[in-house]
């Protein structure tokens, strides 16, 4: 396990690419740690809203990471708010795997259009496999937490 940082900031989609690159690096080289691996990061990202969809920064971060880990079946990226709320939704965040893109395509979902519309909530919900993380209000607000896992 590696604590990457407790101060991650930036545009959610940009941070997603960094987290996905870390997963790819672990898979390819075993660095910065060997598998099974768990990398944890905290902080708060932002989203530049360009569409009219539904979601929050953690849902968008997770979904934006999905294309870069596509095919990495042992990879999971989870991003959630410790308060149990992500944006104006009832979800705490999102979870994607190396199979998320293929599963979305099989259900007729358009990932790129979804991201353009800032509609991660409905994409993750449509997967129906727990990708839309719902915890309910937790009564605490420490930070957003991201977890990168590789078996």
């Amino acid at each position: 396990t590696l604590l990457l940082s407790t101060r991650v900031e930036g545009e959610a989609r940009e941070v997603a690419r960094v987290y996905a690159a870390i997963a790819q690096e672990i898979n390819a080289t075993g660095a910065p740690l060997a598998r099974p691996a768990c990398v944890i990061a905290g902080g708060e990202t932002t989203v530049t809203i360009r569409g009219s969809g539904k979601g929050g920064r953690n849902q968008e971060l997770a979904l934006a990471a999905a294309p870069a880990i596509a095919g990495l079946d042992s990879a999971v990226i989870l991003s959630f708010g410790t308060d149990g709320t992500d944006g104006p939704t009832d979800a705490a965040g999102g979870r994607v795997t190396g199979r998320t893109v293929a599963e979305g395509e099989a259900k007729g979902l358009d990932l790129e259009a979804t991201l353009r519309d800032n509609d991660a909530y409905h994409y993750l919900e449509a997967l129906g496999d727990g990708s839309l993380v719902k915890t309910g209000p937790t009564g605490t607000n420490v930070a957003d937490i991201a977890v990168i896992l590789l078996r």
Side-chain angles (χ1 to χ4, degrees):
T1 300
L2 170 68
L3 175 59
L4 184 65
S5 174
T6 61
R7 294 175 164 81
V8 175
E9 295 180 352
E11 186 71 26
R13 291 186 202 188
E14 305 281 327
V15 173
R17 284 196 283 276
V18 172
Y19 291 165
I22 292 168
Q24 292 168 347
E25 189 69 30
I26 291 169
N27 184 63
T29 70
L33 66 162
R35 296 183 341 184
C38 175
V39 178
I40 302 168
E44 289 198 358
T45 62
T46 57
V47 172
T48 301
I49 298 172
R50 293 183 173 90
S52 59
K54 181 177 180 179
R57 61 186 176 247
N58 291 292
Q59 296 160 58
E60 181 139 336
L61 188 154
L63 192 57
I69 63 167
L72 262 172
D73 289 341
S74 69
V76 176
I77 295 179
L78 166 69
S79 185
F80 62 94
T82 57
D83 62 357
T85 306
D86 187 31
T89 75
D90 61 347
R95 176 194 51 83
V96 297
T97 71
R99 296 178 305 279
T100 295
V101 172
E103 290 169 359
E105 288 172 351
K107 291 181 181 266
L109 303 174
D110 184 337
L111 190 137
E112 292 304 318
T114 297
L115 287 171
R116 275 194 308 275
D117 197 31
N118 300 109
D119 199 25
Y121 183 99
H122 291 114
Y123 188 103
L124 296 169
E125 180 181 51
L127 292 174
D129 62 357
S131 291
L132 186 63
V133 177
K134 293 185 178 183
T135 62
T138 64
T140 186
N141 186 11
V142 177
D144 292 342
I145 296 177
V147 180
I148 305 162
L149 298 170
L150 278 97
R151 293 187 299 250

Short mmCIF file of all heavy atoms in Angstrom, two decimals, residues 61-95:
data_model
loop_
_atom_site.label_atom_id
_atom_site.label_comp_id
_atom_site.label_asym_id
_atom_site.label_seq_id
_atom_site.Cartn_x
_atom_site.Cartn_y
_atom_site.Cartn_z
N LEU A 61 -14.29 11.70 -12.24
CA LEU A 61 -12.90 11.23 -12.17
C LEU A 61 -12.83 9.74 -12.49
O LEU A 61 -12.04 9.30 -13.32
CB LEU A 61 -12.31 11.51 -10.79
CG LEU A 61 -10.82 11.24 -10.62
CD1 LEU A 61 -10.25 12.11 -9.51
CD2 LEU A 61 -10.52 9.79 -10.34
N ALA A 62 -13.66 8.96 -11.83
CA ALA A 62 -13.64 7.52 -12.05
C ALA A 62 -13.93 7.18 -13.51
O ALA A 62 -13.18 6.44 -14.15
CB ALA A 62 -14.64 6.83 -11.12
N LEU A 63 -15.01 7.76 -14.06
CA LEU A 63 -15.39 7.43 -15.43
C LEU A 63 -14.33 7.89 -16.43
O LEU A 63 -14.05 7.19 -17.41
CB LEU A 63 -16.75 8.02 -15.77
CG LEU A 63 -17.38 7.52 -17.06
CD1 LEU A 63 -17.53 6.01 -17.06
CD2 LEU A 63 -18.72 8.19 -17.29
N ALA A 64 -13.71 9.03 -16.18
CA ALA A 64 -12.67 9.52 -17.08
C ALA A 64 -11.43 8.63 -17.08
O ALA A 64 -10.67 8.61 -18.05
CB ALA A 64 -12.29 10.95 -16.72
N ALA A 65 -11.21 7.88 -16.00
CA ALA A 65 -10.07 6.97 -15.93
C ALA A 65 -10.33 5.67 -16.69
O ALA A 65 -9.38 4.98 -17.09
CB ALA A 65 -9.74 6.64 -14.47
N ALA A 66 -11.58 5.34 -16.91
CA ALA A 66 -11.93 4.04 -17.49
C ALA A 66 -11.27 3.74 -18.84
O ALA A 66 -10.75 2.63 -19.02
CB ALA A 66 -13.45 3.91 -17.59
N PRO A 67 -11.26 4.67 -19.81
CA PRO A 67 -10.64 4.32 -21.09
C PRO A 67 -9.15 3.97 -20.98
O PRO A 67 -8.66 3.11 -21.69
CB PRO A 67 -10.83 5.58 -21.94
CG PRO A 67 -11.96 6.31 -21.32
CD PRO A 67 -11.88 5.99 -19.85
N ALA A 68 -8.46 4.62 -20.07
CA ALA A 68 -7.02 4.39 -19.94
C ALA A 68 -6.67 3.09 -19.23
O ALA A 68 -5.54 2.62 -19.34
CB ALA A 68 -6.36 5.57 -19.23
N ILE A 69 -7.64 2.50 -18.52
CA ILE A 69 -7.38 1.19 -17.89
C ILE A 69 -8.15 0.08 -18.59
O ILE A 69 -8.15 -1.06 -18.12
CB ILE A 69 -7.65 1.19 -16.37
CG1 ILE A 69 -9.12 1.46 -16.06
CG2 ILE A 69 -6.72 2.17 -15.66
CD1 ILE A 69 -9.52 1.18 -14.62
N ALA A 70 -8.80 0.40 -19.70
CA ALA A 70 -9.57 -0.61 -20.45
C ALA A 70 -8.67 -1.79 -20.80
O ALA A 70 -7.55 -1.61 -21.28
CB ALA A 70 -10.16 0.01 -21.72
N GLY A 71 -9.16 -2.98 -20.52
CA GLY A 71 -8.40 -4.20 -20.81
C GLY A 71 -7.51 -4.64 -19.66
O GLY A 71 -7.02 -5.77 -19.66
N LEU A 72 -7.28 -3.79 -18.69
CA LEU A 72 -6.50 -4.16 -17.50
C LEU A 72 -7.47 -4.78 -16.50
O LEU A 72 -7.95 -4.12 -15.59
CB LEU A 72 -5.87 -2.91 -16.87
CG LEU A 72 -4.45 -2.59 -17.19
CD1 LEU A 72 -4.07 -1.23 -16.63
CD2 LEU A 72 -3.53 -3.63 -16.65
N ASP A 73 -7.76 -6.05 -16.69
CA ASP A 73 -8.82 -6.69 -15.92
C ASP A 73 -8.58 -6.70 -14.41
O ASP A 73 -9.52 -6.80 -13.63
CB ASP A 73 -9.07 -8.12 -16.41
CG ASP A 73 -9.72 -8.14 -17.78
OD1 ASP A 73 -10.31 -7.11 -18.17
OD2 ASP A 73 -9.64 -9.17 -18.45
N SER A 74 -7.34 -6.58 -13.99
CA SER A 74 -7.06 -6.61 -12.56
C SER A 74 -7.12 -5.22 -11.92
O SER A 74 -6.89 -5.09 -10.73
CB SER A 74 -5.68 -7.22 -12.31
OG SER A 74 -4.67 -6.35 -12.79
N ALA A 75 -7.43 -4.19 -12.70
CA ALA A 75 -7.41 -2.81 -12.19
C ALA A 75 -8.78 -2.33 -11.75
O ALA A 75 -9.80 -2.61 -12.39
CB ALA A 75 -6.85 -1.87 -13.25
N VAL A 76 -8.79 -1.58 -10.65
CA VAL A 76 -9.98 -0.91 -10.14
C VAL A 76 -9.56 0.50 -9.72
O VAL A 76 -8.53 0.68 -9.08
CB VAL A 76 -10.57 -1.63 -8.91
CG1 VAL A 76 -11.75 -0.86 -8.33
CG2 VAL A 76 -10.97 -3.05 -9.24
N ILE A 77 -10.35 1.50 -10.11
CA ILE A 77 -10.16 2.85 -9.62
C ILE A 77 -11.47 3.30 -9.00
O ILE A 77 -12.52 3.26 -9.64
CB ILE A 77 -9.69 3.83 -10.72
CG1 ILE A 77 -8.30 3.41 -11.22
CG2 ILE A 77 -9.67 5.27 -10.20
CD1 ILE A 77 -7.72 4.27 -12.33
N LEU A 78 -11.39 3.70 -7.74
CA LEU A 78 -12.54 4.12 -6.96
C LEU A 78 -12.28 5.53 -6.48
O LEU A 78 -11.19 5.84 -6.01
CB LEU A 78 -12.70 3.18 -5.76
CG LEU A 78 -13.61 3.58 -4.62
CD1 LEU A 78 -15.06 3.57 -5.07
CD2 LEU A 78 -13.41 2.63 -3.45
N SER A 79 -13.27 6.41 -6.61
CA SER A 79 -13.15 7.78 -6.11
C SER A 79 -14.46 8.15 -5.43
O SER A 79 -15.54 7.94 -6.00
CB SER A 79 -12.85 8.74 -7.27
OG SER A 79 -12.61 10.04 -6.78
N PHE A 80 -14.36 8.66 -4.20
CA PHE A 80 -15.58 8.95 -3.45
C PHE A 80 -15.36 10.08 -2.44
O PHE A 80 -14.23 10.33 -2.01
CB PHE A 80 -16.09 7.70 -2.74
CG PHE A 80 -15.13 7.16 -1.71
CD1 PHE A 80 -15.24 7.51 -0.37
CD2 PHE A 80 -14.10 6.31 -2.08
CE1 PHE A 80 -14.35 7.02 0.57
CE2 PHE A 80 -13.20 5.81 -1.15
CZ PHE A 80 -13.33 6.18 0.19
N GLY A 81 -16.45 10.72 -2.07
CA GLY A 81 -16.41 11.75 -1.05
C GLY A 81 -16.68 11.11 0.30
O GLY A 81 -17.62 10.34 0.46
N THR A 82 -15.87 11.45 1.29
CA THR A 82 -16.03 10.85 2.61
C THR A 82 -17.33 11.26 3.29
O THR A 82 -17.77 10.61 4.23
CB THR A 82 -14.84 11.19 3.53
OG1 THR A 82 -14.71 12.61 3.63
CG2 THR A 82 -13.55 10.57 3.01
N ASP A 83 -17.96 12.34 2.80
CA ASP A 83 -19.23 12.75 3.39
C ASP A 83 -20.41 11.98 2.80
O ASP A 83 -21.55 12.15 3.23
CB ASP A 83 -19.45 14.26 3.24
CG ASP A 83 -19.51 14.73 1.80
OD1 ASP A 83 -19.34 13.92 0.86
OD2 ASP A 83 -19.73 15.94 1.60
N GLY A 84 -20.15 11.13 1.81
CA GLY A 84 -21.21 10.34 1.20
C GLY A 84 -21.96 11.07 0.10
O GLY A 84 -22.93 10.54 -0.44
N THR A 85 -21.49 12.26 -0.25
CA THR A 85 -22.16 13.07 -1.26
C THR A 85 -21.15 13.49 -2.32
O THR A 85 -20.06 13.92 -2.00
CB THR A 85 -22.78 14.33 -0.64
OG1 THR A 85 -23.63 13.94 0.43
CG2 THR A 85 -23.59 15.11 -1.65
N ASP A 86 -21.56 13.38 -3.58
CA ASP A 86 -20.71 13.80 -4.70
C ASP A 86 -21.54 14.67 -5.62
O ASP A 86 -22.44 14.16 -6.31
CB ASP A 86 -20.18 12.57 -5.43
CG ASP A 86 -19.17 12.93 -6.50
OD1 ASP A 86 -18.44 13.94 -6.35
OD2 ASP A 86 -19.07 12.19 -7.51
N GLY A 87 -21.26 15.96 -5.61
CA GLY A 87 -22.05 16.87 -6.43
C GLY A 87 -23.49 16.88 -5.98
O GLY A 87 -23.81 16.49 -4.86
N PRO A 88 -24.40 17.29 -6.85
CA PRO A 88 -25.82 17.35 -6.48
C PRO A 88 -26.51 16.00 -6.70
O PRO A 88 -27.52 15.90 -7.39
CB PRO A 88 -26.36 18.43 -7.43
CG PRO A 88 -25.52 18.25 -8.66
CD PRO A 88 -24.14 17.87 -8.16
N THR A 89 -25.93 14.94 -6.14
CA THR A 89 -26.46 13.59 -6.35
C THR A 89 -26.57 12.85 -5.02
O THR A 89 -26.05 13.29 -4.00
CB THR A 89 -25.56 12.76 -7.29
OG1 THR A 89 -24.38 12.35 -6.58
CG2 THR A 89 -25.16 13.54 -8.53
N ASP A 90 -27.19 11.68 -5.07
CA ASP A 90 -27.29 10.82 -3.89
C ASP A 90 -26.15 9.80 -3.84
O ASP A 90 -26.16 8.90 -3.01
CB ASP A 90 -28.64 10.10 -3.87
CG ASP A 90 -28.85 9.20 -5.08
OD1 ASP A 90 -28.08 9.32 -6.07
OD2 ASP A 90 -29.78 8.38 -5.05
N ALA A 91 -25.18 9.96 -4.71
CA ALA A 91 -24.05 9.03 -4.76
C ALA A 91 -22.84 9.65 -4.08
O ALA A 91 -22.68 10.88 -4.04
CB ALA A 91 -23.71 8.68 -6.21
N ALA A 92 -21.96 8.80 -3.57
CA ALA A 92 -20.71 9.26 -2.95
C ALA A 92 -19.59 9.35 -3.99
O ALA A 92 -18.62 10.07 -3.79
CB ALA A 92 -20.29 8.31 -1.83
N GLY A 93 -19.70 8.59 -5.09
CA GLY A 93 -18.65 8.59 -6.10
C GLY A 93 -18.84 7.48 -7.11
O GLY A 93 -19.96 7.00 -7.32
N GLY A 94 -17.72 7.05 -7.69
CA GLY A 94 -17.78 6.04 -8.74
C GLY A 94 -16.63 5.06 -8.66
O GLY A 94 -15.59 5.36 -8.08
N ARG A 95 -16.86 3.90 -9.27
CA ARG A 95 -15.86 2.84 -9.33
C ARG A 95 -15.83 2.30 -10.76
O ARG A 95 -16.87 2.01 -11.35
CB ARG A 95 -16.22 1.69 -8.39
CG ARG A 95 -15.25 0.52 -8.49
CD ARG A 95 -15.77 -0.74 -7.83
NE ARG A 95 -17.12 -1.14 -8.21
CZ ARG A 95 -17.42 -1.85 -9.30
NH1 ARG A 95 -16.49 -2.20 -10.16
NH2 ARG A 95 -18.67 -2.20 -9.54
#
